[in-house]
């Protein structure tokens, strides 16, 4: 029953996410917000089902990260519905995503069997990502610039520790988590360049959104594979 339920949730989430991207591209923002919220609910439920089958403190923390990501999704979608509060909704949504990444970090660091390699990989990746992305972005204040760099560094750290853990003690669950975290980071990089680097490409936005959803779904599925 559980594999069928997971397959149904993943399939429903993919359909909802695809419809959200389409609605977003044609500026049907009310429909897009609803569809994005439902798609986020789908990956949260995938994580919850996996955590119920293999309960652990790490699984609970990953579920918290998924839920915080869903909140960020809702807030970022609503900024187009409520344009007068666009900046506030974006910033609060970004904070929710940051706390979600911190939850993932709390889960992957203790589970990493090669913490020294994880730290080295995290630092190297964070430096590379920040050095590549930050010179391209234009924000309104130094505080936003620093916050953006810190956000990308935390996201990179999740990838670094997840990848080091998967390499040290290979398993389907750890590999899936590492790939999902990497997809999430790739999505964040595309979003930063597109939104704050002056690109403003609808196609890149669609790719970024799709990559984000794939990343969150893989992170959620990693719990079912544990």
């Amino acid at each position: 029953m559980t594999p069928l339920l997971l397959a149904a949730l993943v399939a429903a989430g993919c359909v909802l996410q695809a419809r959200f991207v389409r609605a977003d591209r044609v500026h049907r923002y009310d429909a897009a917000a609803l569809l994005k919220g439902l798609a986020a609910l789908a990956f949260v439920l995938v994580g919850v089902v996996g955590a119920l089958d293999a309960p652990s403190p790490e699984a609970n923390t990953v579920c918290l990260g998924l839920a915080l990501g869903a909140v960020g999704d809702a807030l970022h979608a609503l900024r187009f519905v409520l344009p007068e509060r666009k900046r506030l909704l974006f910033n609060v949504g970004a904070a929710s995503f940051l706390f979600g990444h911190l939850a993932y970090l709390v889960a992957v660091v203790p589970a990493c069997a090669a913490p020294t390699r994880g730290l080295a990989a995290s630092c190297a990746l964070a430096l590379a990502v920040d050095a590549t992305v930050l010179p391209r972005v234009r924000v309104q204040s130094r505080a936003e610039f620093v916050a953006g760099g810190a956000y990308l560094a935390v996201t990179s750290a999740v990838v670094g520790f997840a990848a080091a853990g998967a390499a040290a003690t290979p398993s389907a669950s750890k590999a899936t988590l590492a790939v999902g975290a990497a997809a999430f980071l790739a999505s964040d990089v595309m979003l930063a360049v597109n939104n704050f680097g002056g690109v403003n490409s609808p196609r890149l936005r669609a790719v970024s959104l799709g990559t984000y959803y794939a990343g969150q779904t893989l992170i959620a599925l990693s719990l079912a594979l544990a």
Side-chain angles (χ1 to χ4, degrees):
M1 179 63 182
T2 296
L4 290 176
L5 177 58
L6 288 171
L9 288 170
V10 170
C14 289
V15 171
L16 289 164
Q17 179 70 5
R19 293 191 64 184
F20 153 66
V21 171
R22 183 175 181 180
D24 181 79
R25 292 193 69 173
V26 298
H27 310 301
R28 294 178 56 231
Y29 294 128
D30 288 347
L34 176 61
L35 290 165
K36 192 175 189 183
L38 291 173
L41 177 61
F43 67 63
V44 172
L45 290 176
V46 170
V48 169
V49 170
L52 289 174
D53 273 359
S56 70
E58 291 80 9
N60 293 338
T61 307
V62 170
C63 285
L64 175 60
L66 292 168
L68 288 166
V71 171
D73 274 343
L75 293 172
H76 278 189
L78 285 172
R79 77 187 196 273
F80 296 107
V81 180
L82 304 169
E84 71 279 5
R85 299 183 180 178
K86 185 175 183 178
R87 185 176 177 82
L88 174 64
L89 288 168
F90 180 86
N91 288 338
V92 177
S96 186
F97 281 121
L98 174 60
F99 285 122
H101 284 303
L102 289 171
Y104 292 151
L105 196 58
V106 169
V108 298
V109 171
C112 181
T116 302
R117 292 180 184 178
L119 180 60
S122 298
C123 291
L125 184 58
L127 286 172
V129 170
D130 278 352
T132 301
V133 175
L134 294 182
R136 301 186 180 190
V137 304
R138 297 293 180 269
V139 292
Q140 296 184 8
S141 68
R142 184 180 296 273
E144 289 183 347
F145 185 83
V146 172
Y151 177 92
L152 290 172
V154 171
T155 311
S156 299
V158 176
V159 178
F161 276 100
T169 53
S171 71
S173 174
K174 291 182 179 181
T176 302
L177 176 59
V179 173
F184 202 153
L185 174 60
S187 172
D188 282 337
V189 168
M190 286 186 278
L191 182 147
V193 171
N194 201 42
N195 285 8
F196 303 105
V199 177
N200 295 321
S201 165
R203 180 173 295 180
L204 185 59
R205 174 171 168 77
V207 173
S208 172
L209 291 169
T211 305
Y212 160 78
Y213 190 79
Q216 289 282 53
T217 302
L218 288 171
I219 291 170
L221 280 172
S222 71
L223 299 180
L225 297 173

